Amino acid sequence: MLFSSILSPFILVNFVVCQLFALLTALWFRLYLHPSKTSTFVRHVVATLLGFYLALFCFGWYALHFLVQSGLTYSIMIFAGVEHMHKYCFVVALGYLTFCQITRVYVFDYGMYSADFTGPMMVITQKITSLAFEIHDGMARKEELLTSSQKCLAVRRMPSLLEYLSYNCNFMGILAGPTCSYNDYIAFIEGTAYRLKHLESNGKENGKCKQLDPSPKVDVIHKLCTCAVSLLVYLSVFRTCPVERSIEDGFIATTPFHLQVAYLYLSMLATRPKYYFVWTLADAINNAAGFGFNGYNKDGTPRWDLISNLRILDIEFATSFKMFLDNWNIQTALWLKRVCYERCPYNPTAATFLLSAIWHGVYPGYYLTFFTGILMTMAARAIRHNVRPHFLGSAALELLYDVVTWAGTQIAICYTVVPFVLLAVGPSLKFYRSWYFCIHIVCVLLMVFLPVKPRHLRAKEVSSDPAALQAPSSPPDTESNCSQKRKAS
């Protein structure tokens, strides 16, 4: 989604070279600019300057947009006051991003995937808006009005300009992200990221826990191997199964429908390794710098998934639309949840999909995809609430349910994202017409005949059910950024 511009060989090579440079720099940063060896100020300065260097190398003077966007929103944060600055920052950051996307698409190269400077701006926009809401929560709202997640993420003091630029434009995430919380980033820079996440059983001397920095070496190597496999699969398979073939007249006229379905699945399956490569490499770079530690596994091995953006196996074997979305572009999903879904008083699902469409860009295909996504989400929710309970009686029925819902989820995802790949309205509608809008119609029928109670009514039922209160309100992994938050004194 975010990195559709990484397609042509030249752009791909340029991106890979810059990211490999960032990887080597991250190793140097962790070893020679460790918090025990240098000051926080130096770490901020070096991370920021290296970030701007990579941005200038990749995008030339277009990289100045990163400074302009950050400068405008920082000025708002300083002069507007904490009561309303989160709203102003949200509008200005998203508006500036949209302006740049409009000029790039409709003024310069509609439909052409050039070196897209708005890609990094999308991540910066997430960081700007997240931090604005976190500052508002920490400095303007009463503690009792915050959710547990908001309490953990709340920022209690205004960041300096250097801290702000370092957070937005550091070399580890300037090209491909991922988004992270401000508190997590500051804890990493200051060297306090390991303190409260240290495993208690990792040795004690005189009642004091040994503070040893875990090594990311194993995880970095594993992620680099995943990158290599993903890139190899993408380069060797993608061009043999282009999505565009699905709308060719000859293909539609001569191919049986069940083979059209199979081809659509294979073509989308061949597209995903591009994102696996980009996001996993970005994760490896952050880990190599020492950022991303998230506690320990049960066997005592360190976890480096604090800011990971995807879980590949959970994506490929997802048995629901929600499961797919929860494991795809994880940090963006958390951003949408925290700045929109949890705060929108009316129809948060539709509002969240609309924000996601605006954030992604101005191609009409994006809006077709996210409109379809709203229908898919509501229909999948209806199936889960009304149908799933009937298959929980035995292991065989559960397996049958999982197999059927896996196949249905994969087809639904492929059907939904076709306009995202085709971009334009005409080809997208041609594809949907060739399928007779069948999945749209099925979704509407499910929503009509299998209604789901509104969220506030479901929340009341959960709050009145003692058994339900014992279950966590959200998956532990999606809120791990908060549940183990470090507060440096």
Side-chain angles (χ1 to χ4, degrees):
M1 292 181 179
L2 174 53
F3 303 102
S4 296
S5 59
I6 304 170
L7 279 173
S8 72
F10 173 77
I11 297 171
L12 181 61
V13 170
N14 190 41
F15 173 83
V16 172
V17 168
C18 287
Q19 287 294 74
L20 290 179
F21 172 79
L23 177 66
L24 295 176
T25 305
L27 293 170
W28 169 81
F29 190 83
R30 182 172 64 88
L31 294 175
Y32 296 99
L33 292 183
H34 191 273
S36 63
K37 299 178 181 179
T38 189
S39 67
T40 299
F41 175 80
V42 171
R43 282 168 63 84
H44 275 306
V45 169
V46 172
T48 306
L49 292 179
L50 286 172
F52 284 131
Y53 172 77
L54 288 176
L56 285 170
F57 182 86
C58 281
F59 308 108
W61 294 111
Y62 286 111
L64 290 178
H65 286 292
F66 309 162
L67 279 178
V68 173
Q69 187 185 34
S70 297
L72 285 173
T73 51
Y74 188 74
S75 299
I76 291 172
M77 290 169 56
I78 296 298
F79 296 110
V82 295
E83 284 290 339
H84 302 290
M85 63 91 182
H86 61 298
K87 301 176 184 176
Y88 301 149
C89 284
F90 182 87
V91 172
V92 170
L94 195 62
Y96 193 82
L97 170 65
T98 302
F99 168 77
C100 291
Q101 290 171 330
I102 290 173
T103 55
R104 190 192 73 85
V105 171
Y106 292 103
V107 176
F108 296 109
D109 54 0
Y110 184 91
M112 299 295 292
Y113 286 114
S114 61
D116 183 4
F117 70 94
T118 62
M121 288 184 67
M122 294 167 70
V123 178
I124 294 174
T125 298
Q126 289 183 349
K127 292 182 177 181
I128 288 171
T129 53
S130 294
L131 179 55
F133 278 96
E134 289 162 7
I135 293 174
H136 174 72
D137 290 340
M139 300 177 65
R141 296 179 66 191
K142 295 181 180 180
E143 189 81 7
E144 58 269 20
L145 298 179
L146 303 178
T147 66
S148 58
S149 172
Q150 291 167 352
K151 289 177 183 178
C152 293
L153 294 168
V155 176
R156 309 293 178 177
R157 68 172 181 85
M158 192 68 67
S160 68
L161 179 59
L162 175 61
E163 291 171 331
Y164 191 68
L165 292 177
S166 175
Y167 171 61
N168 287 342
C169 304
N170 64 81
F171 75 96
M172 300 172 295
I174 187 66
L175 297 184
T179 298
C180 61
S181 79
Y182 178 78
N183 285 339
D184 281 326
Y185 181 74
I186 292 300
F188 155 70
I189 291 292
E190 294 179 349
T192 61
Y194 306 117
R195 188 172 298 164
L196 295 181
K197 288 191 176 183
H198 187 76
L199 188 67
E200 291 183 0
S201 62
N202 193 24
K204 293 185 178 181
E205 293 180 1
N206 299 323
K208 294 183 179 180
C209 191
K210 293 180 179 179
Q211 297 295 324
L212 301 176
D213 290 359
S215 172
K217 180 176 66 175
V218 174
D219 286 76
V220 170
I221 293 174
H222 178 266
K223 289 172 183 178
L224 291 178
C225 292
T226 302
C227 290
V229 173
S230 299
L231 184 60
L232 180 63
V233 171
Y234 173 71
L235 293 177
S236 59
V237 177
F238 175 72
R239 297 189 184 279
T240 64
C241 299
V243 179
E244 290 76 9
R245 188 176 298 167
S246 298
I247 60 172
E248 293 178 358
D249 293 333
F251 179 85
I252 296 173
T254 60
T255 307
F257 184 72
H258 68 280
L259 293 182
Q260 292 186 40
V261 174
Y263 180 83
L264 179 65
Y265 171 71
L266 292 175
S267 63
M268 290 300 176
L269 187 66
T271 302
R272 289 199 284 267
K274 171 182 60 177
Y275 302 100
Y276 297 164
F277 168 76
V278 172
W279 285 329
T280 305
L281 180 56
D283 195 16
I285 292 169
N286 281 272
N287 293 168
F291 187 28
F293 177 65
N294 197 27
Y296 292 85
N297 296 306
K298 293 181 180 179
D299 60 1
T301 58
R303 292 173 55 195
W304 288 88
D305 61 352
L306 179 67
I307 55 174
S308 295
N309 231 348
L310 75 168
R311 304 182 188 98
I312 296 176
L313 292 180
D314 290 334
I315 290 170
E316 298 300 343
F317 294 100
T319 56
S320 70
F321 204 79
K322 182 181 184 301
M323 182 178 177
F324 188 99
L325 296 180
D326 285 346
N327 293 286
W328 172 270
N329 206 352
I330 296 171
Q331 302 307 318
T332 293
L334 288 175
W335 170 69
L336 290 168
K337 175 184 176 182
R338 291 165 180 167
V339 305
C340 184
Y341 188 84
E342 291 181 340
R343 302 175 191 267
C344 183
Y346 305 107
N347 206 337
T349 298
T352 302
F353 274 99
L354 177 60
L355 173 59
S356 184
I358 295 172
W359 174 78
H360 274 92
V362 293
Y363 285 112
Y366 296 162
Y367 291 83
L368 283 174
T369 284
F370 289 107
F371 170 74
T372 305
I374 295 173
L375 299 179
M376 294 291 181
T377 300
M378 301 301 291
R381 189 176 297 166
I383 292 175
R384 182 171 182 84
H385 281 262
N386 292 278
V387 177
R388 185 174 181 271
H390 300 291
F391 288 83
L392 300 179
S394 67
L397 286 176
E398 288 185 26
L399 178 61
L400 175 62
Y401 179 84
D402 287 341
V403 171
V404 173
T405 52
W406 171 83
T409 297
Q410 296 302 321
I411 294 172
I413 289 291
C414 295
Y415 179 90
T416 301
V417 301
V418 165
F420 202 102
V421 178
L422 299 179
L423 300 178
V425 173
S428 301
L429 292 181
K430 182 178 180 180
F431 169 79
Y432 283 146
R433 282 196 300 268
S434 71
W435 282 52
Y436 302 102
F437 291 90
C438 59
I439 298 185
H440 285 90
I441 296 171
V442 169
C443 288
V444 172
L445 293 176
L446 288 171
M447 292 165 59
V448 171
F449 293 105
L450 297 177
V452 177
K453 293 181 180 179
R455 183 175 59 163
H456 67 280
L457 295 179
R458 298 200 308 271
K460 287 183 180 179
E461 290 181 356
V462 171
S463 62
S464 62
D465 184 358
L469 289 174
Q470 297 177 1
S473 60
S474 60
D477 288 342
T478 61
E479 292 300 331
S480 61
N481 298 24
C482 297
S483 62
Q484 301 181 33
K485 181 66 60 182
R486 298 154 310 282
K487 294 184 178 180
S489 57

